[in-house]
Amino acid sequence: MKTKQDLNKIREENLKKLNLLDNNKYRVVVGMASCGLAASADVIYDIIEQTIKEKGLKDISLTSVGCIGECALEPIVEVYDKDNNRYTYCMVNEKKAKEIAEKHLIGGEVLNRYLIENFKKVTDEEGKVIDVPNYQYRIALKNCGIINPLEIDQYIGLDGYKALEKVLFEMTPEEVVDVVTKSGLRGRGGGGFPTGLKWKFTAANKGGQSFVICNADEGDPGAFMDRAVLEGDPHAVIEAMIICGYAISATQGYVYIRAEYPLAVERLQYAIDKAYEYGLLGKGVLVSNFDFDLEIRLGAGAFVCGEETALIASIEGERGMPRNKPPYPASQGLWGRPTVINNVETFANVAQIILKGADWFKAIGTEKAAGTKVFALGGKIKNTGLLEVPMGTTLREVIYDVGGGLTKGKAFKAVQTGGPSGGILTKDDLDTPIDYDNLVRKGSMMGSGGMIVMDQDNCMVDIAKFYLEFTVEESCGKCTPCRDGNLRMLEILNKITDGKATMKDLDDLRKLALMIKDTSLCALGQSAPNPVLSTLDKFYDEYLEHVVNKRCPAGVCKNITKLLITDECIGCGKCLRNCPVNAISGDVKKKHYIDLELCVNCGTCKPACPVNAIVSL
Amino acid sequence: MEKLVITKEKELLLRKRIEEHKAKPGPLMPSLHDAQEIFGCIPLEVQKIISEELKISVSKINGVVTFYSRFSLEPKGKHVIGVCLGTACYVKGSQSILDEICNSLQIKVGETTKDGLFTVEATRCVGACGLAPVYTIDGKVYGHATVNSAHQELRKIIDEEAAGEN
């Protein structure tokens, strides 16, 4: 059991270590979240560790950390020196790792050619390198990539559990709810409901047990913000949940996390165990008279369980089906008791708000959307990765300045936000400041933060079909519009991509979409037609092309596409080598040909061509 | 396909785990996760054990098992190949990788090869979007994949298995 004084001591010691005010000369961190590990960051870590051991280096601290945010550039090694300079080495392989260890850590020589600045150049249209401001502002990701998620002391070193101390010993539960309400924090899971209000409604239902649930069922394909927070800074979520428990008089919390994130589950469980050991969880939190227990419950691969009432049903051991609201979980949630459900990222903001105050938080972002938002930027973008920007940053700034623009110099076509519940935004929307209301007005939604960039090679009908296939599979089957309506929509989309649809089908598609939106039971069903509706609105021409001319302009829909090599071909043979069915032939440095009898229209050759000589008819 | 054998040890292990879960509210889901882990699937025989322990009807348990995609009624192949069809991977062409693997193994998505060696799944986002497109073989993530690289990995395992048999 630790007391306030114990924590203060740990805090002082670890802050010194993290700022290299101890005997160490360098602090070396290796990004070892899921992305990093998939890129073999563990091997890199071992090499550096071994070199340190072999050479008997005594003044270097080596730590594994969570997501640094530059997923496309993994594995990443960062070196901090005593003057607080930070050197970020990217795409480190075994050879580079040895060099970094021997030259930088021993010789003090900075290896400029491996630094991030060489990888993340932002260029203008003529290819000239330009300086861009740093838009990123980290609140939820404050500690990600900086501390070792398995070391509770490092978290404490950076003001960890200080907000909890403040709440327990200096504030009443009402004051806590008040600060959160005044801060303007809104749910980061997609809906954007004011967090403070949620807490207030739940707190008002006094008497008996209440519950705090953290929704970590991040099922939205292409989104990995919550995973990054849980893998990189699990204590931030734990601290916030205890604070929430205190504010609404709940003594039991659950983190509902998807089983597809084994590393996040492992690290969170480890962090919870440590928190118990330190007396931050359990009976008498920090030797106060407030008790709080926390437990992990695993999801089992059902997207709909991200919906709060379905999530509650799942914890209760039922099929994860949503129910009608009201009653809202704030009055009747888990086991019929008042329950607060917040998303991981929402919780990750709470401790900072308590420490720095509602006004500080409100000053960041826009009037109606305070604070920042974490986005998982993916798809055809140069700098795929995790970023956190103030609300109100424009899409253009995110995609071009932070994201570095599109890969292979291709033209921007659309960006998808909000996953299967969201919609498509186009060139015309690029200057829209990102916040909840603006995105809804533009026919999409904030969602949990997935942002997928698409170029001219992506077919919008195909993308709509992709999301609908997802929803059809994930529909729980409880209400008819979602269960059957979405399936009928998918059938129409299949007709379109097979070149068998008529204009009537297009009309039916829109009618059906609007009906499903109006009549489905839960948010999953109500938002399922969004990808179809927004592509219909913004890329109607593309639908027409499929229906009238039986042609897919992007060359994605296989059944109506023929691939052809134009005279631009330089005969490099890259397409030939990449073709899985050996349908391409041609001599070196001469024009190649596709045998349409053999070709299966898989499109593998297209991105392989360095001169964009492969087109679809 | 080999039939699942429920050994005494595994059954006892499951019963012990369920006993632990019973102490807390909502024991069904954690018990099912354990059953899936211990047996690799949750067929009727296993559901009956859980039913006895938790005093929940088999019909209800079966309803829950069949609702969630992580629980399966049949055992999976020795190697599980999952191709990510999350959005980031999909826009970068993971569908053609999935098609190629299914083609090579002559099975459909979600099926297991007759020799029980491979199960192919279209997985949900594994969260490694920065490395898209990705696929996994027995839990290991392969990033920046192409149709060819996936094909080669698959070949490697097929060859290893063949070598192991001889």
Side-chain angles (χ1 to χ4, degrees):
Chain A
M1 287 291 263
K2 305 268 184 219
T3 61
K4 233 174 111 172
Q5 289 73 25
D6 295 336
L7 287 196
N8 264 327
K9 221 173 126 206
I10 296 174
R11 196 165 288 136
E12 240 169 70
E13 276 168 21
N14 279 276
L15 189 62
K16 260 192 206 159
K17 278 190 203 162
L18 289 166
N19 284 333
L20 287 169
L21 296 171
D22 52 2
N23 295 327
N24 283 327
K25 198 160 111 202
Y26 294 117
R27 202 168 89 83
V28 182
V29 306
V30 182
M32 286 169 79
S34 287
C35 281
L37 288 175
S40 307
D42 46 344
V43 179
I44 304 302
Y45 183 91
D46 290 346
I47 290 175
I48 297 178
E49 191 183 36
Q50 214 188 335
T51 316
I52 291 176
K53 220 182 262 168
E54 273 171 17
K55 306 275 176 187
L57 304 181
K58 296 254 181 310
D59 50 2
I60 287 164
S61 85
L62 175 67
T63 324
S64 77
V65 296
C67 181
I68 293 170
E70 304 291 347
C71 306
L73 302 176
E74 300 273 11
I76 293 176
V77 176
E78 290 193 314
V79 179
Y80 294 82
D81 67 13
K82 275 207 183 291
D83 301 324
N84 217 5
N85 291 316
R86 173 169 124 172
Y87 303 96
T88 308
Y89 291 110
C90 298
M91 298 181 104
V92 178
N93 52 26
E94 296 179 25
K95 191 180 141 257
K96 283 189 196 174
K98 278 193 197 121
E99 249 188 287
I100 293 167
E102 283 168 9
K103 292 206 173 134
H104 194 158
L105 300 185
I106 300 174
E109 175 197 346
V110 178
L111 301 161
N112 284 314
R113 59 191 181 280
Y114 302 151
L115 288 180
I116 191 162
E117 290 78 4
N118 291 312
F119 294 86
K120 275 192 77 170
K121 283 179 192 146
V122 178
T123 49
D124 62 9
E125 275 162 17
E126 283 147 17
K128 229 173 78 191
V129 180
I130 43 172
D131 274 338
V132 288
N134 181 19
Y135 293 96
Q136 299 222 43
Y137 191 103
R138 292 185 155 209
I139 301 174
L141 298 178
K142 179 175 87 87
N143 294 332
C144 278
I146 304 209
I147 61 165
N148 184 338
L150 299 177
E151 298 266 352
I152 187 173
D153 289 355
Q154 291 191 5
Y155 176 74
I156 295 172
L158 294 179
D159 286 346
Y161 291 106
K162 209 172 172 180
L164 179 65
E165 285 172 20
K166 185 171 169 187
V167 163
L168 286 179
F169 301 110
E170 294 166 28
M171 294 168 82
T172 64
E174 293 75 22
E175 282 167 350
V176 177
V177 173
D178 219 41
V179 172
V180 177
T181 311
K182 279 196 185 130
S183 74
L185 175 66
R186 292 170 66 177
R188 297 291 193 249
F193 191 82
T195 308
L197 276 187
K198 215 180 228 183
W199 291 20
K200 198 172 175 177
F201 292 152
T202 314
N205 293 304
K206 278 217 168 73
Q209 176 66 285
S210 302
F211 295 101
V212 180
I213 297 178
C214 173
N215 184 347
D217 192 47
E218 187 173 51
D220 176 354
F224 51 95
M225 302 78 46
D226 296 349
R227 176 184 63 89
V229 173
L230 290 170
E231 285 178 0
D233 194 17
H235 285 288
V237 178
I238 297 173
E239 181 177 4
M241 289 185 74
I242 308 171
I243 292 172
C244 177
Y246 177 77
I248 65 159
S249 314
T251 56
Q252 173 73 50
Y254 293 97
V255 182
Y256 186 87
I257 179 168
R258 67 197 292 246
E260 283 87 343
Y261 285 171
L263 189 66
V265 174
E266 189 192 311
R267 289 190 181 166
L268 181 64
Q269 186 60 58
Y270 186 87
I272 290 176
D273 294 345
K274 273 283 159 200
Y276 269 107
E277 204 186 299
Y278 274 45
L280 296 160
L281 284 170
K283 269 220 152 326
V285 174
L286 272 176
V287 205
S288 69
N289 49 18
F290 172 66
D291 308 333
F292 193 76
D293 284 294
L294 188 59
E295 210 184 294
I296 291 180
R297 288 298 168 102
L298 287 185
F303 176 69
V304 67
C305 287
E307 200 279 341
E308 52 187 12
T309 58
L311 186 153
I312 287 171
S314 182
I315 295 183
E316 289 171 345
E318 306 281 338
R319 289 165 72 98
M321 295 208 219
R323 60 160 173 79
N324 270 319
K325 289 187 278 191
Y328 289 94
S331 55
Q332 284 179 40
L334 189 60
W335 289 296
R337 304 299 316 163
T339 305
V340 159
I341 301 191
N342 279 141
N343 161 274
V344 173
E345 194 190 329
T346 316
F347 275 129
N349 280 294
V350 169
Q352 295 301 304
I353 291 173
I354 300 286
L355 277 183
K356 297 185 179 165
D359 291 333
W360 163 79
F361 192 76
K362 229 182 148 36
I364 306 161
T366 65
E367 198 192 327
K368 285 192 175 153
T372 58
K373 179 78 192 85
V374 181
F375 289 102
L377 196 56
K380 307 275 182 73
I381 186 105
K382 271 191 202 142
N383 308 327
T384 21
L386 206 65
L387 53 109
E388 183 171 352
V389 290
M391 296 275 188
T393 309
T394 66
L395 281 167
R396 188 186 298 281
E397 286 161 347
V398 169
I399 292 168
Y400 285 94
D401 294 349
V402 186
L406 277 76
T407 44
K408 295 186 184 167
K410 299 233 168 155
F412 170 83
K413 184 169 182 180
V415 56
Q416 213 278 354
T417 67
S421 308
I424 292 274
L425 299 162
T426 63
K427 238 178 24 231
D428 301 336
D429 307 319
L430 277 176
D431 292 308
T432 307
I434 302 169
D435 74 10
Y436 298 95
D437 309 315
N438 276 344
L439 291 190
V440 169
R441 214 171 294 131
K442 295 278 178 185
S444 184
M445 67 183 270
M446 179 80 89
S448 54
M451 205 180 254
I452 310 283
V453 177
M454 300 174 198
D455 64 15
Q456 68 233 38
D457 294 339
N458 291 115
C459 166
M460 291 300 123
V461 184
D462 180 65
I463 292 296
K465 199 172 95 177
F466 165 78
Y467 281 113
L468 207 59
E469 271 169 1
F470 181 88
T471 324
V472 164
E473 193 165 304
E474 293 298 338
S475 171
C476 79
K478 188 170 180 174
C479 74
T480 317
C482 176
R483 182 187 62 232
D484 291 345
N486 281 318
L487 194 59
R488 296 289 93 78
M489 278 216 294
L490 183 59
E491 284 167 3
I492 297 178
L493 283 176
N494 275 327
K495 270 172 92 178
I496 297 176
T497 55
D498 284 347
K500 292 176 183 154
T502 60
M503 286 305 286
K504 183 174 177 298
D505 287 319
L506 271 188
D507 281 348
D508 287 349
L509 185 64
R510 185 185 292 273
K511 263 188 224 155
L512 203 50
L514 292 171
M515 199 182 295
I516 294 167
K517 206 176 157 105
D518 281 345
T519 53
S520 288
L521 175 96
C522 80
L524 173 81
Q526 287 156 14
S527 61
N530 283 352
V532 173
L533 283 171
S534 80
T535 45
L536 267 178
D537 282 343
K538 287 169 184 160
F539 291 95
Y540 191 65
D541 290 351
E542 218 167 304
Y543 277 87
L544 278 184
E545 223 17 66
H546 283 75
V547 174
V548 179
N549 296 332
K550 317 287 181 210
R551 181 180 164 266
C552 173
V556 174
C557 302
K558 289 181 192 174
N559 292 337
I560 50 172
T561 299
K562 291 267 174 290
L563 291 167
L564 188 86
I565 300 179
T566 65
D567 290 339
E568 305 280 303
C569 176
I570 52 170
C572 70
K574 280 199 176 134
C575 55
L576 183 149
R577 284 193 292 279
N578 276 289
C579 177
V581 291
N582 298 324
I584 303 180
S585 56
D587 294 331
V588 181
K589 292 197 175 162
K590 288 198 178 134
K591 193 184 161 189
H592 286 39
Y593 294 92
I594 300 175
D595 184 340
L596 292 179
E597 292 284 307
L598 292 174
C599 177
V600 291
N601 289 318
C602 70
T604 312
C605 51
K606 251 181 131 177
C609 179
V611 292
N612 293 330
I614 300 175
V615 295
S616 32
L617 284 185
Chain B
M1 210 55 260
E2 278 176 52
K3 207 180 156 347
L4 179 80
V5 191
I6 298 178
T7 60
K8 244 312 29 83
E9 293 90 62
K10 284 185 176 177
E11 187 184 326
L12 280 177
L13 178 62
L14 177 63
R15 286 187 194 270
K16 200 178 132 245
R17 295 262 189 95
I18 296 176
E19 200 55 45
E20 289 163 19
H21 296 313
K22 266 201 267 185
K24 289 175 183 166
L28 182 55
M29 288 292 281
S31 302
L32 290 176
H33 274 291
D34 282 339
Q36 177 74 35
E37 188 196 313
I38 293 168
F39 295 102
C41 61
I42 316 178
L44 206 56
E45 296 88 326
V46 177
Q47 291 177 26
K48 280 180 186 158
I49 301 173
I50 301 172
S51 163
E52 262 172 44
E53 290 287 333
L54 292 180
K55 309 273 181 293
I56 297 174
S57 73
V58 174
S59 68
K60 182 167 169 199
I61 293 176
N62 191 59
V64 176
V65 169
T66 50
F67 184 84
Y68 295 97
S69 64
R70 275 191 85 86
F71 302 143
S72 57
L73 294 170
E74 285 169 5
K76 288 182 180 167
K78 185 174 167 194
H79 301 286
V80 179
I81 303 176
V83 181
C84 179
L85 286 192
T87 324
C89 289
Y90 186 78
V91 300
K92 288 198 163 181
S94 61
Q95 181 71 49
S96 41
I97 296 172
L98 181 61
D99 292 348
E100 165 64 20
I101 292 174
C102 287
N103 246 332
S104 309
L105 295 172
Q106 303 262 305
I107 49 173
K108 289 197 191 111
V109 177
E111 289 179 351
T112 303
T113 50
K114 281 205 188 88
D115 54 11
L117 276 183
F118 294 98
T119 300
V120 178
E121 292 174 340
T123 59
R124 292 278 174 257
C125 185
V126 295
C129 310
L131 305 170
V134 306
Y135 62 94
T136 61
I137 300 180
D138 302 329
K140 183 174 172 2
V141 179
Y142 295 81
H144 300 301
T146 62
V147 171
N148 278 338
S149 70
H151 189 87
Q152 279 164 14
E153 269 322 309
L154 183 61
R155 239 354 318 150
K156 233 192 260 169
I157 301 177
I158 294 174
D159 291 345
E160 273 167 23
E161 286 294 338
E165 263 174 31
N166 294 330

